Amino acid sequence: MGSTAVHGGPLGSPASGEPLHPGVLEAARAWADDDPDPQTREELTALAAVADGGDVAAAAELTDRMSGLLTFGTAGLRGALAGGPNRMNRAVVIRAAAGLTAYLQDDLGTREPFVVVGFDARRNSDVFARDTAAVVTGLGGRAAVLPHPLPTPVLAYAVRLLGADAGVMVTASHNPPQDNGYKVYLGDGRQIVPPADAGVAAHIAAVRSVALVPRPDDGWETLPDDVHESYLDAVAGVLDPASPREVHVVHTALHGVGTGTVRAAFARAGFPEPLVVPSQAEPDPAFPTVGFPNPEEPGAMDAALELAEQTGPDLVVANDPDADRCAVAVPGRGGWRMLTGDELGVLLGVHLLRRGRIGPGRCFASSVVSSRLLAAVCAAAGVRHEETLTGFKWIARAEGLRYGYEEALGYCAAPDVVLDKDGVSAALLVAECVAGLRADGRGVEDLLDEVAAAHGVHLTGAHNVRVSDLSLTSSVMARLRAGGPAGVAAACGSDVAEWDDLARGYHGLPPTEGLRWVLADGSRVVVRPSGTEPKLKAYLEVVEPVPGGDVAQVRPARDRASLRLGVLQEAVASLTAPV
């Protein structure tokens, strides 16, 4: 969900065997006294008692929980459910809601702000939504809550549909089961960007006590299902009315909230009803059949692919738990295979370009860490392409956006409906694309080969570097600034053609911590620290020409690209290893 780091407080974690800092106990007891939730209040109090008794592990856990307030970033909050300021709980959410309301009132000058609230099916999502509505109402605003757990894109749609000043979605997206989160949109239907995040955070920090925040028992509106119905009409209307609809799909919601909305959207669009994975169709906050509810993670798609082997559909579609991302598997020459985020991003882009009706002044966009293939396709089609920073808060701000994607399975295929990633409209469009190919006796791999023949094989990969603490990422980045490009160039046998420090700005984009370099052979590396974890992320791409643009030469070109990508990965792994 974006930048949700944690403030480091003045009370560091105790070293092994050291006594608990007395300030931590005092802070924990004060927080517990102000906590409106009996469960987290009692849990934090019990942890403090164990820590006070000399338990080193409990002392370290308590110190971490009290190390500062969970930071409000450009996509809100995200953290583990537990008591204390550095966790997700009612006390933190009430402060966040009060800070957001104060920001709307004081910084934006909206004295009676209207806030729409949505929630998924994770633990306490409904409770956090109710608390948010109560705070907005108590502070003089108007709140409206979606009627039941629904996908994040429905909330993003509702913000613009209802003319709200802001929207809040309670979700942790594809995080582990123990987490929850708090995602914020402003009235234009886009996620917030700086300096709005800092403005909200300042107002959150000014909340001295939860007990002082008014929270009436009623006064907000529970929205009817009309909003959901309107969303379904809008996403179904994204398709070409004359396009084929004969396509058979296996769908999994990965225990999230996508099943009902996806099935209803497919029915409204005229597609056959998707065959759902029974064990993963219903919302379940424990996510019992997957180790990590993210379709990118190994094993997450096993049940869906097993059902596909049994039933022989044309397509497998997966959504993450809040259904704002979309993953796809297709039958290939060697059996079922997952498309990469870049492959699906280009596939949807090509499909929209071939449908036409892009409109004057509209553009396609992709993030700086995504494949450059979409830009090449757009150049050949005479359509403007923009490269943005990572995250849909930036992609959604591309001027005249018609379509945008990022490699992490996020697709904004209908920006006039939702100005954010939307896994439901993406699922509809890929089904339309596959139905059209099916009608012509072709498949997805045929189309991908055709695009590769025209523009070269663009093969992408990644390398993640986990570190023991965040300070190590700075030392690795400093080492890369000093000699990374030359080291990679030497390993790959190619000169450095471009070298950009994203912290200084890149092609007019806002400065962000990261490095980008391109070799003369077309290889590209982008390295940036993760916004949520102690790790560096390296995004790699090689481009291999296809002789004569001959489709028959695509497979050998892919083999050559795969070898080059392996060399690039080894070079980057060597240069980014912590010392």
Side-chain angles (χ1 to χ4, degrees):
M1 282 175 70
S3 51
T4 51
V6 174
H7 285 310
L11 307 173
S13 296
S16 179
E18 289 187 5
L20 181 67
H21 192 295
V24 174
L25 279 174
E26 182 181 350
R29 288 164 179 157
W31 180 274
D33 287 343
D34 191 45
D35 189 340
D37 188 335
Q39 181 175 342
T40 50
R41 181 171 62 245
E42 292 167 9
E43 181 240 350
L44 187 64
T45 300
L47 178 65
V50 175
D52 192 26
D55 187 291
V56 174
E61 170 70 9
L62 186 67
T63 300
D64 183 59
R65 292 196 192 189
M66 303 308 301
S67 62
L69 190 63
L70 197 66
T71 300
F72 185 92
T74 52
L77 302 167
R78 191 183 297 185
L81 291 163
N86 190 15
R87 297 292 187 268
M88 277 295 294
N89 49 65
R90 292 184 63 198
V92 166
V93 165
I94 290 166
R95 283 176 163 84
L100 173 62
T101 306
Y103 172 79
L104 296 171
Q105 293 173 326
D106 298 344
D107 294 31
L108 300 189
T110 307
R111 298 315 307 163
E112 298 180 359
F114 174 31
V115 180
V116 183
V117 185
F119 57 100
D120 67 8
R122 284 179 178 263
R123 294 188 179 97
N124 278 357
S125 286
D126 56 341
V127 176
F128 295 161
R130 185 184 187 280
D131 279 336
T132 299
V135 170
V136 172
T137 303
L139 291 175
R142 174 188 165 205
V145 183
L146 292 176
H148 47 80
L150 285 166
T152 292
V154 179
L155 181 278
Y157 171 77
V159 171
R160 287 197 292 176
L161 174 73
L162 301 175
D165 299 297
V168 170
M169 182 69 192
V170 182
T171 179
S173 189
H174 53 275
N175 266 39
Q178 64 267 25
D179 288 3
N180 212 328
Y182 199 80
K183 189 173 186 177
V184 176
Y185 298 83
L186 290 183
D188 59 6
R190 296 181 288 199
Q191 297 178 46
I192 61 174
V193 295
D197 59 330
V200 175
H203 285 286
I204 294 173
V207 177
R208 307 315 306 168
S209 167
V210 168
L212 299 177
V213 179
R215 287 181 291 120
D217 292 329
D218 54 31
W220 58 89
E221 175 186 2
T222 298
L223 292 165
D225 279 325
D226 294 359
V227 173
H228 188 218
E229 294 295 316
S230 177
Y231 168 80
L232 292 170
D233 287 339
V235 292
V238 168
L239 304 183
D240 182 345
S243 63
R245 294 292 192 271
E246 189 59 33
V247 62
H248 300 289
V249 176
V250 162
H251 176 258
T252 176
L254 293 182
H255 302 293
V257 296
T259 298
T261 299
V262 168
R263 293 178 77 171
F266 268 65
R268 197 149 305 192
F271 287 115
E273 182 177 342
L275 181 62
V276 301
V277 178
S279 63
Q280 299 175 338
E282 296 302 318
D284 188 334
F287 303 104
T289 70
V290 289
F292 202 97
N294 180 351
E296 289 183 294
E297 292 292 322
M301 294 285 290
D302 286 356
L305 294 176
E306 182 179 350
L307 184 59
E309 290 284 358
Q310 297 168 357
T311 59
D314 302 299
L315 184 66
V316 173
V317 173
N319 292 117
D320 66 338
D322 68 327
D324 65 348
R325 298 173 194 253
C326 179
V328 164
V330 297
R333 300 178 183 97
W336 284 92
R337 78 171 184 92
M338 295 290 298
L339 297 185
T340 68
D342 283 313
E343 286 178 319
L344 180 54
V346 170
L347 182 73
L348 291 175
V350 168
H351 175 62
L352 289 169
L353 287 169
R354 292 189 173 188
R355 270 185 29 182
R357 296 178 288 125
I358 300 303
R362 305 299 292 268
C363 82
F364 282 29
S366 51
S367 66
V368 69
V369 300
S370 299
S371 172
R372 292 162 290 170
L373 180 54
L374 181 64
V377 170
C378 287
V383 171
R384 181 168 56 91
H385 175 270
E386 285 195 20
E387 192 173 45
T388 77
L389 296 182
T390 55
F392 267 84
K393 57 185 177 286
W394 299 113
I395 292 173
R397 284 171 167 80
E399 184 178 354
L401 182 68
R402 174 60 186 88
Y403 168 69
Y405 94 93
E406 63 179 359
E407 48 74 43
L409 303 180
Y411 309 95
C412 180
D416 295 336
V417 178
V418 173
L419 257 178
D420 195 17
K421 56 185 177 290
D422 180 354
V424 181
S425 60
L428 289 175
L429 277 168
V430 74
E432 180 185 53
C433 175
V434 172
L437 291 169
R438 185 180 190 270
D440 293 336
R442 306 172 70 214
V444 166
E445 292 202 328
D446 297 317
L447 180 55
L448 292 176
D449 284 354
E450 183 181 321
V451 174
H455 305 287
V457 171
H458 288 60
L459 193 61
T460 56
H463 178 73
N464 293 330
V465 183
R466 293 193 174 273
V467 294
S468 56
D469 65 75
L470 286 171
S471 65
L472 293 176
T473 63
S474 298
S475 64
V476 175
M477 291 297 289
R479 191 166 76 243
L480 290 175
R481 281 188 169 90
V488 170
C492 295
S494 181
D495 295 332
V496 178
E498 299 176 33
W499 159 235
D500 299 289
D501 189 338
L502 303 185
R504 300 175 182 172
Y506 165 70
H507 291 191
L509 299 178
T512 187
E513 176 62 354
L515 301 169
R516 175 188 183 274
W517 59 87
V518 179
L519 304 185
D521 66 2
S523 302
R524 185 204 63 183
V525 177
V526 181
V527 184
R528 69 180 185 93
S530 169
T532 56
E533 301 175 80
K535 71 179 182 181
L536 284 172
K537 304 178 75 173
Y539 304 84
L540 317 175
E541 182 178 35
V542 298
V543 181
E544 181 68 29
V546 176
D550 182 359
V551 172
Q553 295 299 315
V554 168
R555 190 175 298 182
R558 282 208 176 98
D559 292 339
R560 294 192 297 273
S562 181
L563 291 174
R564 288 177 52 201
L565 184 63
V567 172
L568 187 62
Q569 286 175 320
E570 289 182 6
V572 170
S574 175
L575 288 165
T576 55
V579 294

